[in-house]
Amino acid sequence: MPEPHPLAAPLLAGERRALAKAITLAESSRPEHERSAQELLAQVMPRAGGSVRVGLTGVPGVGKSTFIEALGLFLADQGKRVAVLAVDPSSARTGGSIMGDKTRMPRLTVHPRAFIRPSPSGGTLGGVARRTRETLTLCEAAGYDVLLVETVGVGQSETQVAAMTDLFVLLTLPNAGDELQGIKRGIMELADLCVVNKADTAPQAAVRAQTELRVALTLLTPHGAAWRPAALRASALTGEGIPEVWAKVEDYTRTVDLAAKRRAQNAVWFDELLREAAWRSFLAGVDAGHLRALRAEVEAGRLTAVQGVGQLLASRQTTTPA
Ligand code: GDP
């Protein structure tokens, strides 16, 4: 039996300070912190898995933080514990965040049943996504019932977030006719639920947008799918439509086999990490000069790509000790 991690008991008791410390540990790139975080994760993992994980995306200005605050307060007022996390690729690149700072959700931030964690800064998108995944496990172990994961809606972070959440929500604006053009088909395909936000600003247009989204979603849904993605209207500002959004989420959690979905997500995640680790370990074992020379040969057309790869593998097999 390994020694209990000092943060395990307070974390499982739901102490926010312990949770915050545990997340900081998981976000650290120092090897001893990483080891410690992995031990902690392994110890608390059996107590994780009981939450609903909701991913949210939408272009900047669509009202994500307002919406998350409205939904978060609605849930917290019902007695649920709500954690809000962010995956922000801009913070991964520059260290500066275009979202995820606490001031964006002033009322939720001070709610005793809410926990808001800004986006981890630094590292690659893959690194940020990995930390967010581990943070989700920590929040669950600390007893949070609903985990809201926000992503900025402009890049590949959506795929990452959809791969770590139970359900993925796309927020759009009432002028969907124009906007639909701008929503990448790939993001629409990830959505289990679309919400036309700011319906208060243009009620008629919001109804039209909802109808258009319904049609688009129907076209994208494979025949026989267990869940048919829905389109709703809401106003994060007035709170109108927020209870209906949550009712839809609950509907989803009753319809879809979430345990199976999470098992599949874990397996995919394992494969991804393995591919990454195998690639790194492979590169560490090859002669960089030889690799460059072979690539140049392939570039110049003197060697086929298959031959180049074959030679590299052969050289590695002969130089790597068994
Ligand atoms: P984000 O960039 O997607 O996080 O968007 P914000 O939540 O910061 O919202 C952008 C602006 O839209 C803010 O001024 C909000 O007050 C406003 N807003 C958000 N939701 C609504 C809504 O439902 N109705 C109206 N009228 N304004 C909203």
Side-chain angles (χ1 to χ4, degrees), residues 11 24 60 77 79 84 87 108 120 123 184 194 199 257 273 289 292 306 318:
L11 179 79
T24 303
D77 287 344
V84 179
V87 173
L108 192 59
K184 293 194 192 76
C194 284
D257 183 349
L273 286 182
R292 270 198 306 276
V306 172
T318 52

Side-chain angles (χ1 to χ4, degrees), residues 145-164:
D145 306 295
V146 181
L147 312 180
L148 303 173
V149 188
E150 179 184 12
T151 171
V152 79
V154 290
Q156 24 152 210
S157 50
E158 285 67 45
T159 317
Q160 303 257 4
V161 171
M164 64 174 94

Side-chain angles (χ1 to χ4, degrees), residues 97-108:
S97 179
I98 56 172
M99 58 179 228
D101 53 336
K102 295 187 179 192
T103 52
R104 291 166 71 238
M105 301 169 201
R107 286 191 296 153
L108 192 59

Side-chain angles (χ1 to χ4, degrees), residues 10 23 45 68 89 119 140 153 159 166 174 178 200 208 212 223 226 230 232 273 279:
I23 295 173
M45 215 155 58
I68 289 172
S119 182
E140 275 188 357
T159 317
D166 300 324
D178 311 328
D200 59 298
R208 277 198 302 277
E212 285 173 29
H223 206 67
L232 300 173
L273 286 182
W279 176 239

Side-chain angles (χ1 to χ4, degrees), residues 59-67 104 150 197-201 234-237:
V59 294
V62 71
K64 287 181 298 300
S65 42
T66 314
F67 186 87
R104 291 166 71 238
E150 179 184 12
N197 188 39
K198 303 195 184 182
D200 59 298
T201 61
S235 166
L237 203 65

Side-chain angles (χ1 to χ4, degrees), residues 19-42:
L19 175 59
K21 273 193 191 166
I23 295 173
T24 303
L25 199 62
E27 287 177 353
S28 167
S29 50
R30 286 171 58 179
E32 69 270 28
H33 288 170
E34 186 166 344
R35 263 195 306 279
S36 172
Q38 292 304 318
E39 273 168 30
L40 176 63
L41 279 160

